[in-house]
Structure formats: C-alpha cells, structure tokens
Amino acid sequence: MALKTPEQYVESLRKLKICAYVGGERVESVVDHPGIAPHINTVAKTYELAHQAEHREVMTALSHLSGERVHRYTHIFQSADDLVKKIQMLRLLGQTTGTCFQRCVGLDALNALYAASFEIDQGEGTGYHQRFCDYLLRVQREDLMLAGAMTDPKGHRAKKPSEQADPDQFVHVVERRPDGVVIRGAKLHNTGGINSHEILVLPGTGLAAEEKDYAIACAVPAEAPGVVFIFGRQSNDTRKLEGGCDIGNPRFGVVGGEAMVVFDNVFVPNEHIFMNGETQYCGALVTYFATWHRANYGGCKGGNADVLIGATAKMTRILGTDRNAVVRDKLTEMIHMNETTYASAIGAGAMGYKLPCGSYMFDPMMSNTVKQNITRNVYQISRLAHDLAGGFLATMPDQKALENPEIGAYVKKYHTANPDYDVMERIRMGRYIENMTSVTSMVESMHGAGSPQAQRIVMLGLAGIEAKIKMAEQVISGTDDVKGIALPKSN
Ligand code: SF4
C-alpha cells in the first residue's frame, strides 16, 4: 500500500514505542496525549488529501524508482513541474490546516540525501546511492512520515564542532562496529519528530577534513533505543490541555510541535547510513537541503496567511468595519505581501534546474529570497491582522468565563459587535488570530530553514555584483550603442 490512510498513519504511530516527554513528564502514548494530538491531526490531513481525486495531481506523484503512485512527501523531484507542484501542495495544506504540517523537512532531507549520496559515490567510489534508493523504496511503499534532524545545539558559536569543550554539541560517531555505528548528540527545533516513523539525521554544517566523526547522515527509527524526544514549549500550549476555543486552532494546533531529540548512544546499522566521514560533501548536502526548504515557505506560509487573512476579513464584517476604505486597503496590503512570496516560490520552481543525480533543484536566488521575505512579510501580515482585529485579541476573557453562569452572559453581551453575527464567531476568529500571530509562530517564520542572515549571505554571493557593475558601466559609459540619433557628448 503506497498511500496510507489517515487512520493507518495514526494506528502505525500507536504501535511505536516512542520515548517522549511533554511538560517534563514521560508520555505513555504520543497518539493519546492532548498536547501532541493537534500535530498528529495535521499530519493525518496530508495523508487524507492524497486520497482525494481532486488533489491527486498535487498530493501524489509517480515514483521514478518503482513507477508506482506515491505520496508527494516521499517523492524525488523529477522536473521543474514537480517543484511547482510541491509549492502548490504546501499552499493547499496550509489553507486546509492553517498551521505547519511537518512533513517537508523529511521530504527535503530525502532529496538532499538522494543527491549527496550520488555525488559521494561519483567522487569516492562508495556505495551509498543504491543503499539510499533501497531505503527510499521502502519509505515510498510504506508512506512513512519522516522527520528531518539538522540543527545541532552548536555550543560555543565561535568554535568548530571539533573544538567544542563538549563534543556532543554536534551529533557524531562515538563507536564504529563492523555492522554499523553508534551516534551521540542532539538535534534541536525538530519539527514533527515526536509523531514520525523515522528521523533522517543530517550534518547541519560544513566540516573540516579532520571532523570525520561529525560527517554522519543516516535514518533512525523514532522508537530506536537511545532516542529521546523532549517537547518544546509553545505560546499558549497549556490551552491544548484545557480544550475549548482558547486554543485558537483546536484541531490542528500552532506550528509544528517542535521537540529536541537526543541521541544517547544510538546504534545505526550499515544499511541506514548514507554518509560516514566524507566531510568534503557536507557543505553541498546542507546547501541542497536549505535551497529546497527555503522556497517552501512561499507555499506553506502562503496557505496559512490565506486562513489568517480570511479570519481578519471575517472579523471586520463582525465589527462592521468591512466597508471602510482604509480597512479594505490594509486587507489588500496583506494579500499583496502574501502573493509576492508565493509568486517567488512558484518562480523558484519554474526556474528549477537538473542536478547531476537527475533530480531537480529550485533556483537558489529565488528560494533564498522567498525565505528572506517571509522573515518580514509574516510579521507585517500579522501586524495588520492585529491592527484590524483590535485590542480584544489581548484582553478577551477565557472559555471558563464564557461557561460560568454568573458572568458568561456579561462576556457575550459586551463582546457582541454586529448583531448579525454570533459573538462566539468573533471570539473564535480572534483566538485563531491571537494564536497564529503569537511568539512561537513569528519566531518560526524568522528562524525556520535558517536565520535571515544565512539567506543574505547566499543572496549576496549569487547576485554577481561584478557583473552588475559591468552592466552599469556599459549602460552609462559604454560605446556599443545601437545606430541612431547622435546625442551631445557628456564629460
Ligand atoms: Fe513544512 Fe512550512 Fe512546516 Fe516547514 S514550516 S515543515 S515548510 S509546513
């Protein structure tokens, strides 16, 4: 069965013995914990939409290995059209869930390993690529939910991995055996790992030749002995335990349920190792991953912003401000910023190019520009949502006040605006806006797929400043003018 149903995804998770902590306490079953459930529901949607005929072209693809129809989240990009469809898939899922659906890190890690394992084999005569393709076939046939783990804790930022006082600040090999390796360290900001089947562990940085133990890329089952997930705190996360409308997005939650994942002496068998000591390929691996991942945000944040713009527009109707020209102009500004990043992401795909392994890569300049714009536009769109929705986002009483027979009627009466709308509509829309524009969502837009400066370094490097200077010189002072009317000479 190449396409899991949402029910099969949840049941397959239930069978795993994942070692997870939420709120500092060990969780018996990730499936049954209310703090994790919304994030599982979001991933389940990715499985559900793949079975719907109207979304088949966007949500699925034909495997280049088996020819079978597989989930696009397990597909290796075979064309520029595949890259465009990926962005379309992300916008659709963003519109459907209004939050992060978590599977993109695993998808981009799959593609990065496919390309890097090919290039390592070409250069070093190793056998990683076939091993990786065997693994990929299983991922596609079982439609696995993969998490990608890249970001090491990093310790002292001015020191390299091998210079750290604590070598575990970067995931590394601590023991080599004939049948595999033992790894130790941790990865932070791990999106979706706690409700995944397997984790793809990749180096998070370029490495020096003597840092071979840090050049390890591999697949690790989420339930492998020694793997420990420690769930991150999010804005308003205890509201998930309370239930009710205060959660904001009760079914699908806010952002991706990030966790830190500890690898405490985890054994990885040879068949799941796709890089082991080839430091000279780490830079390319990281760049591939980042370029595939940065364009994503024009799709997923575009879909999320569609929901946020919708909630804000509905709020203006409830308030009775929707016909005001200034309000309409502010909504237009939100739309403008959202469509700009989406257009860049689609453009990055349309201008995609073929890699040596045969898969397709986004245009790097456009991909990095998408992510750079996200670090601004998501904040600006949220600012306008706050502006239009009003101060009650920060002051409205909670669900318990609404339910209290002594005061609930006061809360409803004095939060009613346009009487054509039920007051609960205003409160629910407000709670969604509040939660989706709170600190966790904002910081995720800033630092997910790399902090803003990481994109600026790439953009300046790719911009071809010298060529632009020559263009300016040629236009302003050049002598190869077309034949035409002679103009007075300038000094
Ligand atoms: Fe995917 Fe966006 Fe979530 Fe990243 S933030 S995992 S690109 S939905």
Side-chain angles (χ1 to χ4, degrees):
M1 176 58 178
L3 292 174
K4 266 190 171 52
T5 63
E7 294 79 16
Q8 287 169 332
Y9 161 62
V10 173
E11 284 315 303
S12 63
L13 266 192
R14 192 182 292 285
K15 289 187 187 129
L16 299 182
K17 301 270 176 275
I18 295 173
C19 178
Y21 289 79
V22 179
E25 291 179 0
R26 178 76 187 262
V27 170
E28 280 309 311
S29 160
V30 295
V31 171
D32 298 318
H33 195 285
I36 306 171
H39 309 292
I40 293 177
N41 289 343
T42 317
V43 173
K45 264 288 171 204
T46 71
Y47 286 100
E48 182 187 326
L49 263 55
H51 290 272
Q52 295 175 356
E54 68 268 36
H55 300 313
R56 175 184 153 112
E57 279 306 304
V58 164
M59 294 299 302
T60 67
L62 293 179
S63 166
H64 74 295
L65 294 180
S66 65
E68 291 173 24
R69 188 156 290 277
V70 297
H71 203 293
R72 192 169 291 282
Y73 267 124
T74 66
H75 183 54
I76 300 298
F77 313 119
Q78 296 299 301
S79 64
D81 185 54
D82 265 348
L83 297 172
V84 170
K85 286 214 168 71
K86 176 197 192 193
I87 299 299
Q88 292 174 308
M89 172 178 76
L90 300 190
R91 189 155 187 183
L92 171 67
L93 286 167
Q95 291 170 339
T96 309
T97 64
T99 189
C100 165
F101 25 90
Q102 310 155 45
R103 290 182 77 180
C104 325
V105 191
L107 169 64
D108 295 329
L110 265 186
N111 275 272
L113 285 171
Y114 183 85
S117 62
F118 179 89
E119 290 174 25
I120 298 172
D121 284 3
Q122 294 291 301
E124 311 302 321
T126 45
Y128 293 125
H129 194 62
Q130 187 55 53
R131 181 188 286 179
F132 180 77
C133 288
D134 293 343
Y135 173 75
L136 176 63
L137 267 174
R138 182 170 74 78
V139 168
Q140 292 184 334
R141 290 203 165 126
E142 296 181 16
D143 198 2
L144 295 182
M145 154 72 181
L146 299 177
M150 287 203 79
T151 310
D152 297 277
K154 297 199 280 283
H156 192 314
R157 292 336 194 234
K159 293 184 185 294
K160 297 193 295 186
S162 55
E163 296 170 344
Q164 297 290 329
D166 177 358
D168 298 345
Q169 292 297 335
F170 290 78
V171 169
H172 62 126
V173 174
V174 292
E175 187 184 342
R176 295 180 188 279
R177 300 180 188 167
D179 55 345
V181 299
V182 176
I183 61 171
R184 188 160 68 223
K187 295 284 187 180
L188 304 184
H189 323 312
N190 187 239
T191 300
I194 206 163
N195 46 285
S196 67
H197 300 112
E198 302 207 357
I199 316 160
L200 294 175
V201 181
L202 274 61
T205 183
L207 294 168
E210 68 275 14
E211 295 178 315
K212 290 191 183 310
D213 287 342
Y214 297 89
I216 182 74
C218 54
V220 177
E223 63 173 350
V227 173
V228 181
F229 292 96
I230 306 171
F231 209 48
R233 252 256 71 161
Q234 296 178 351
S235 313
N236 303 336
D237 54 1
T238 49
R239 295 186 191 183
K240 286 188 282 191
L241 310 181
E242 297 167 13
C245 69
D246 291 343
I247 304 170
N249 189 347
R251 277 194 301 158
F252 302 119
V254 176
V255 299
E258 280 72 15
M260 64 179 284
V261 51
V262 178
F263 300 92
D264 187 3
N265 295 319
V266 175
F267 175 70
V268 185
N270 285 332
E271 59 268 27
H272 286 165
I273 298 173
F274 311 120
M275 168 190 273
N276 187 3
E278 294 81 9
T279 51
Q280 63 274 39
Y281 297 90
C282 288
L285 178 66
V286 173
T287 302
Y288 283 157
F289 173 83
T291 309
W292 271 312
H293 204 57
R294 285 176 187 163
N296 291 355
Y297 280 60
C300 74
K301 300 300 178 202
N304 288 175
D306 287 328
V307 180
L308 183 64
I309 291 167
T312 307
K314 181 77 184 273
M315 185 69 83
T316 65
R317 289 185 189 172
I318 294 170
L319 293 173
T321 57
D322 56 308
R323 294 183 186 278
N324 182 297
V326 173
V327 167
R328 293 171 70 80
D329 189 57
K330 286 178 179 175
L331 275 177
T332 307
E333 182 63 14
M334 294 168 82
I335 294 163
H336 169 226
M337 283 186 280
N338 196 34
E339 297 304 331
T340 301
T341 46
Y342 181 64
S344 306
I346 291 290
M351 298 296 286
Y353 66 95
K354 196 174 190 174
L355 294 173
C357 65
S359 69
Y360 272 70
M361 171 55 72
F362 283 117
D363 176 271
M365 177 63 97
M366 288 192 204
S367 175
N368 279 277
T369 305
V370 169
K371 178 66 217 318
Q372 181 70 197
N373 274 325
I374 288 292
T375 68
R376 301 172 183 188
N377 290 7
V378 169
Y379 282 75
Q380 288 300 329
I381 290 170
S382 300
R383 177 181 172 277
L384 288 165
H386 290 176
D387 181 354
L388 296 180
F392 100 122
L393 293 183
T395 61
M396 66 181 134
D398 58 14
Q399 172 97 19
K400 287 192 177 125
L402 285 161
E403 290 167 355
N404 185 326
E406 292 167 26
I407 56 173
Y410 292 145
V411 176
K412 289 184 176 168
K413 176 181 169 79
Y414 294 113
H415 282 89
T416 298
N418 180 345
D420 291 346
Y421 294 92
D422 186 318
V423 63
M424 287 309 298
E425 280 198 88
R426 182 183 181 200
I427 290 174
R428 287 197 196 94
M429 291 291 158
R431 284 297 184 210
Y432 178 80
I433 295 170
E434 179 209 3
N435 280 276
M436 286 308 292
T437 57
S438 60
V439 175
T440 304
S441 298
M442 297 292 94
V443 173
E444 201 284 326
S445 298
M446 177 67 75
H447 292 288
S451 303
Q453 200 57 30
Q455 294 114 52
R456 298 177 82 83
I457 291 167
V458 177
M459 289 161 67
L460 186 62
L462 292 174
I465 289 293
E466 291 307 317
K468 290 188 195 304
I469 289 172
K470 282 200 173 55
M471 289 172 208
E473 289 171 347
Q474 189 62 41
V475 168
I476 297 160
S477 316
T479 55
D480 63 343
D481 279 346
V482 292
K483 302 295 174 222
I485 300 167
L487 295 174
K489 286 207 181 312
S490 63
N491 291 324

